[in-house]
Amino acid sequence: MQASFQQPPPQQLSSQQPSQQSPRRESRFSYKNGIPPRRNGKWMPDHQCGPGNAVKRFFEGCMEFRGRSSRREFWLAMLFVVPVTVLPFLFPPFGTLMGLLWSLSIAVPFLAVSIRRLHDANLGGWWLLLGHSGNIIAAAILAFTAVGMVFVGIGAIMMIPNEMELDLHDPDTFAGQLLVLLYASFGFSGVSLVIQTCLFSLPGNPEGARFD
């Protein structure tokens, strides 16, 4: 006795055929557009953003001290911020004024993105004080130097050559020691710059999500 063979209905045949996948649509979280800065009210890092998006996120997050910013996002923003900050000072006196105003306008956004970059490396914002330790020492030295220069100016006005030498090139004089302190402040600022570069170059750490 031969078993009868029943051909499945056309609907079953069509369901058994491999379905053709429709072409994937480009996600709005793609490399081209970058991810949205906020998700559920939290500032999220973008590890594949472009230069324009990084600068945009820099200014959009001017008051965002929570959340995280990726290493790529931070340094691409700095490639724009640093030259724009330095160049005006090359054209005094108007450029100096514009440079100071610009520096004041980006102070808070820079502080915010710096703290978020530390968060992305699973470090608290207080680590920023370590990065600016050299600048703090340099500011104290400059303040002392400024006060000292006042006394030098008073000595020059009063013409007391025997008690106060005004030769800046002689380190044994008071004025010369002030010049040495001025150079030392530049050195401390350089140390601070190296520390900040190391901190901001740390790779992202998933455990930094605790700062979201």
Side-chain angles (χ1 to χ4, degrees):
M1 181 177 180
Q2 296 181 354
S4 61
F5 176 76
Q6 293 182 353
Q7 185 177 3
Q11 294 181 354
Q12 294 183 4
L13 287 175
S14 62
S15 62
Q16 293 176 1
Q17 294 178 355
S19 59
Q20 297 180 355
Q21 295 182 354
S22 59
R24 293 183 60 184
R25 298 176 60 186
E26 185 179 9
S27 171
R28 66 191 185 98
F29 302 134
S30 64
Y31 176 87
K32 180 179 179 181
N33 299 326
I35 68 171
R38 296 176 182 85
R39 288 185 186 175
N40 299 324
K42 299 177 181 179
W43 191 274
M44 303 301 294
D46 189 348
H47 298 280
Q48 294 182 326
C49 64
N53 195 36
V55 175
K56 180 181 178 181
R57 290 168 65 95
F58 174 82
F59 289 104
E60 282 186 356
C62 61
M63 299 300 294
E64 293 286 346
F65 295 94
R66 296 183 61 85
R68 293 166 289 154
S69 289
S70 67
R71 178 169 54 182
R72 178 185 179 91
E73 173 188 341
F74 177 87
W75 286 113
L76 286 178
M78 291 303 104
L79 287 178
F80 168 80
V81 171
V82 173
V84 173
T85 303
V86 174
L87 286 177
F89 290 96
L90 302 180
F91 305 96
F94 180 74
T96 303
L97 177 61
M98 296 302 297
L100 290 174
L101 293 176
W102 167 258
S103 299
L104 290 175
S105 66
I106 65 169
V108 176
F110 177 75
L111 178 62
V113 74
S114 300
I115 293 177
R116 295 198 307 268
R117 174 77 271 273
L118 293 175
H119 288 173
D120 188 55
N122 195 27
L123 296 175
W126 291 106
W127 280 82
L128 197 61
L129 291 178
L130 175 62
H132 286 283
S133 57
N135 290 333
I136 295 173
I137 298 175
I141 293 176
L142 289 176
F144 179 80
T145 304
V147 175
M149 286 298 181
V150 172
F151 284 102
V152 170
I154 294 175
I157 295 174
M158 297 179 63
M159 301 297 291
I160 313 177
N162 295 329
E163 297 183 7
M164 183 177 294
E165 295 290 339
L166 301 181
D167 187 5
L168 292 173
H169 301 286
D170 186 0
D172 294 330
T173 63
F174 182 69
Q177 293 173 0
L178 291 178
L179 186 62
V180 171
L181 289 176
L182 181 63
Y183 291 151
S185 67
F186 295 154
F188 280 110
S189 295
V191 171
S192 182
L193 182 61
V194 171
I195 296 175
Q196 290 181 55
T197 302
C198 294
L199 287 175
F200 296 145
S201 298
L202 292 174
N205 190 332
E207 295 182 2
R210 62 191 179 97
F211 295 103
D212 291 347

